Amino acid sequence: MTSMSRARAARRIAAGAAYGGGGIGLAGAATVGLLVAQAQLARRRVGNGMSPHVPNADGLYGAAYTVPGQPALRLTMLGDSTAAGQGVHRAGQTPGALLASGVAAIAERPVGLSTVAVPGACSDDLDRQVSRALADPSRVPDICVIMIGANDVTHRMPATRSVRHLAAAVRRLRTAGAEVVVGTCPDLGTIEPVQQPLRWLARRASRQLAAAQTIGAVEQGGRTVSLGDLLGPEFAANPRELFGPDSYHPSVEGYATAAMAVLPTVCAALGLWPAEEERPDASRREGFLPVARAAAEAASEAGTEVAAAMPSGPRGPWALLKRRRRRRVQATEPAPATAPSPSRRP
């Protein structure tokens, strides 16, 4: 699928989400039997993507930066197992902990992490998660990171319905005063047990949903980062390193790679990034584009950020597409200043 055709498909899905349209089919009826059989086989080989242990990373990070009278920044993670950090064994290995420690170091300010993400969640669970995140009006998060979409694809949720729930969640959070960064649907074509033609269709469906998610989130005032095939090249070279033991969830190194892709956008949303970094760099093919085209390009290149720009243009809303520099880092395991505990919430 070309960038332009992906842009058109994403725009149709986003429009359907906004105006209550139905789902858009991703495969013809003739292939359904084959796809179902392959999906069942892959699910048996991968497992159900569930693990009895999901580390609780909630707590305060960067306590050394505490200044009397200055409150900690509040970071909330929403979404599915990727946001929760399923597949790793220690709290400091989760994306929430990695992001909280990264923001604390850059802002030189402590960061309180709260996680309302639920393994196995689809986008229709976001309304409940947002209600939890906003339960205390006096403690609205400064920044919310949403990672969602993979289960929508595997559970065959209509893309329009998926985007409608995501857009509503972003709107509620932005209205409450929180900045929002969405890590869009990852490329399910990188999951090792998935074979052709399911692998190709999973990749197509994932990218199509990711592009539509970008439109829905950006039009509500959020920013997006394409997770896409972020692990693709590394997975091809060393799948056992970047995917966990179940070959479905990222490993410690995989989560570190994803977190470092999202961190610059989180910092930009909080106003922590240098001003010169916020200007588009033509040498990196950054610039202002119609939001649907920016969404399609981002879906094809992991680590690409899309943020709202000009309110309108001849082809609808415009967005700023940025390819922020990313450095491959070794996974670290930051420890919260306060021990994670179900009874301790930032």
Side-chain angles (χ1 to χ4, degrees):
M1 181 181 286
T2 67
S3 177
M4 290 304 294
S5 60
R6 188 177 294 116
R8 287 193 293 268
R11 171 53 67 192
R12 287 196 302 272
I13 294 171
Y19 298 108
I24 296 179
L26 296 176
T31 65
V32 170
L34 175 62
L35 292 179
V36 169
Q38 287 202 2
Q40 290 174 341
L41 176 61
R43 187 175 295 112
R44 285 197 297 270
R45 292 184 61 190
V46 171
N48 62 4
M50 300 299 288
S51 168
H53 177 70
V54 179
N56 177 11
D58 290 4
L60 186 70
Y61 293 76
Y65 299 113
T66 299
V67 175
Q70 183 183 60
L73 291 170
R74 298 189 183 98
L75 164 65
T76 299
M77 301 292 295
L78 304 91
D80 55 23
S81 56
T82 305
Q86 187 171 4
V88 298
H89 298 291
R90 291 188 285 273
Q93 299 169 337
T94 63
L98 294 169
L99 287 171
S101 61
V103 171
I106 292 170
E108 296 187 347
R109 185 174 170 185
V111 176
L113 171 66
S114 178
T115 303
V116 297
V118 178
C122 293
S123 293
D124 56 5
D125 190 52
L126 286 176
D127 182 63
R128 185 190 62 81
Q129 293 184 26
V130 169
S131 294
R132 286 189 60 195
L134 301 178
D136 185 349
S138 68
R139 299 176 64 83
V140 172
D142 295 287
I143 182 79
C144 292
V145 175
I146 304 174
M147 295 180 177
I148 199 81
N151 295 317
D152 297 33
V153 174
T154 59
H155 288 75
R156 292 183 290 176
M157 176 183 288
T160 49
R161 182 182 170 199
S162 175
V163 173
R164 187 180 304 125
H165 285 295
L166 175 62
V170 174
R171 182 169 58 250
R172 286 183 63 193
L173 292 169
R174 292 292 292 129
T175 299
E179 297 290 340
V180 181
V181 173
V182 177
T184 56
C185 182
D187 182 357
L188 297 181
T190 62
I191 298 175
E192 189 177 35
V194 178
Q195 302 300 318
Q196 299 291 10
L198 184 59
R199 181 186 293 269
W200 179 85
L201 287 169
R203 171 165 290 143
R204 180 172 179 265
S206 301
R207 291 186 176 185
Q208 185 170 298
L209 177 58
Q213 286 178 317
T214 294
I215 296 174
V218 169
E219 289 186 344
Q220 298 301 326
R223 301 182 186 221
T224 64
V225 178
S226 170
L227 297 183
D229 59 350
L230 185 64
L231 304 179
E234 293 92 343
F235 173 57
N238 195 350
R240 295 305 177 191
E241 178 185 350
L242 287 174
F243 274 71
D246 62 3
S247 297
Y248 184 87
H249 294 103
S251 66
V252 175
E253 290 78 9
Y255 276 126
T257 301
M260 290 308 101
V262 174
L263 179 61
T265 301
V266 168
C267 291
L270 290 170
L272 302 175
W273 224 234
E276 58 269 19
E277 282 289 326
E278 296 310 293
R279 292 191 290 268
D281 185 341
S283 69
R284 298 208 297 261
R285 296 177 293 117
E286 298 178 346
F288 298 96
L289 296 169
V291 67
R293 184 178 165 193
E297 291 201 15
S300 301
E301 184 174 346
T304 305
E305 174 189 321
V306 180
M310 309 169 205
S312 64
R315 287 179 287 177
W318 283 61
L320 173 60
L321 183 143
K322 289 190 65 65
R323 296 175 170 89
R324 297 188 185 275
R325 294 186 180 92
R326 290 188 293 116
R327 295 186 298 274
R328 178 70 183 274
V329 297
Q330 294 296 319
T332 58
E333 191 175 334
T338 54
S341 168
S343 63
R344 184 187 296 275
R345 297 291 176 181

